[in-house]
Amino acid sequence: MKDKLFSNWGWKLLSLILGFVVWVTVLNVDDYSTTRQIRDIPVTLINTDAITDKNQLYDIVSGETVDIIVKGRRSVVNALGASDFTAVADMSKLSITNAVNITVTANSSSVNNNISITIVDNVLQVELEEEQTASLPVTVTTKGETAEGYTTGIPVSTPNLITVKGAASVIERIEKAEVQVDVSGRTSDVTATCTPIFYDANGDAVSGKKLESKVTGVSVTIPVYKTKTVAVKLDTTGVPADNYKVVNVEYVPNEITVGGPADVLQNLTEITVDDIDVSGCSEDLESTIEISKYLPDGVVLADENTSISVHVAIERNISRTMTISANDITIENKLTDYDYAVQFPEGNTVVISGLSDEVAKLTAKDLKITIDAETLSIGANTVELSIKDSDTYTVDSTCKVDIEVTAMP
């Protein structure tokens, strides 16, 4: 038995060697070399301070991800995915065309030694822009309607100023920082913390990857007041041009709804506008005024319409000379059995002035000239006529009359 085991050992060794060669051959045929494309490997940027330290910002134009072709043993290559590789772009090596090469390596050194990597497009392209900073006041707006009979007061925000930085092209578009608070159905003060949103001149929201602000929340308090309807009183100031006068003042609305603290509203009955200036005017004056500036401290306007339309009618005065006769003079308190004779020693005219429409239709009787007989004595009396001004005219000059008082026989 022992002889059989050790006999023909040469052939047996040869058989063993041939078996091993066959096994290696089969293994190599089954695990052949292959290539495979792996897509969308994220590119990591390093040394970005080489850009940001120059007060510049970058925006990736192309190359945020990269594709590679991997070559190696089938058993190795087929097991690989995007997460097995690291793609890097070194921003300190940015070219004058704002491009930088991408390098890709396998995360495992053993894998890295057994494959070859070809990058499909090995360039990352960026766009550079100057960084800019702006400080913006916080604008508070409301959404919804308070309960009926209530209105909102002036909001208070903390902070009331926001500093934002970002690409110059983005910052230059921003017009305001706004927060919005819902006041629907409220009858008491509203407190909220809101996220500010940046808007451009067209009212569109402005955003950007590099837009940064340290303020992420704004604390807002909005007082809610009861409302009250009060009258509007309007007066003019100044004097129109010579021979002109204000004949009428019309304005709408003549009452407004306001809100404010209860102790302030309690004593508020009207809003006075007394600075409609007609100085030197020779024609009608039309004006639109913002009523809010005439409100007392702590009072806010609750009406949607914030303005008052004013029309001041201004007309020209004319002068008219009127002839007076004795019949136009009424002597009051006459004594019985006395005769009163009126004469005009120097002329019998008076001059009045007023609006043309009013003055043109006046008669001497309309002047209502009277003389009190109790002031007269027996004999000759000289009296200067005293004629009162009226709402439609003024007396510019008058005349004297002689009155002879005699006892009748």
Side-chain angles (χ1 to χ4, degrees), residues 325-376:
S325 69
N327 293 330
D328 298 322
I329 301 172
T330 301
I331 299 176
E332 298 176 336
N333 301 317
K334 289 182 180 181
L335 297 176
T336 307
D337 298 331
Y338 278 79
D339 184 52
Y340 298 84
V342 178
Q343 294 182 344
F344 295 88
E346 299 176 355
N348 61 336
T349 61
V350 297
V351 179
I352 63 172
S353 62
L355 300 177
S356 57
D357 290 345
E358 298 292 339
V359 170
K361 61 186 180 183
L362 287 175
T363 66
K365 281 290 186 183
D366 295 326
L367 301 180
K368 297 180 180 179
I369 305 171
T370 61
I371 296 175
D372 189 354
E374 291 183 351
T375 64
L376 304 177

Side-chain angles (χ1 to χ4, degrees), residues 252-324:
V252 289
N254 53 25
E255 63 179 20
I256 59 173
T257 302
V258 296
D263 58 337
V264 177
L265 289 188
Q266 182 178 0
N267 300 318
L268 184 65
T269 58
E270 65 180 20
I271 303 298
T272 301
V273 179
D274 56 3
D275 59 354
I276 305 300
D277 192 1
V278 297
S279 299
C281 291
S282 58
E283 58 184 19
D284 290 1
L285 175 67
E286 291 189 348
S287 177
T288 299
I289 60 174
E290 289 296 321
I291 192 63
S292 57
K293 69 178 183 177
Y294 299 95
L295 300 178
D297 291 342
V299 175
V300 296
L301 190 66
D303 288 329
E304 291 184 3
N305 184 15
T306 63
S307 61
I308 292 181
S309 299
V310 181
H311 179 92
V312 181
I314 297 176
E315 293 187 15
R316 191 176 188 275
N317 281 337
I318 63 168
S319 294
R320 178 184 173 193
T321 301
M322 300 181 68
T323 301
I324 306 298

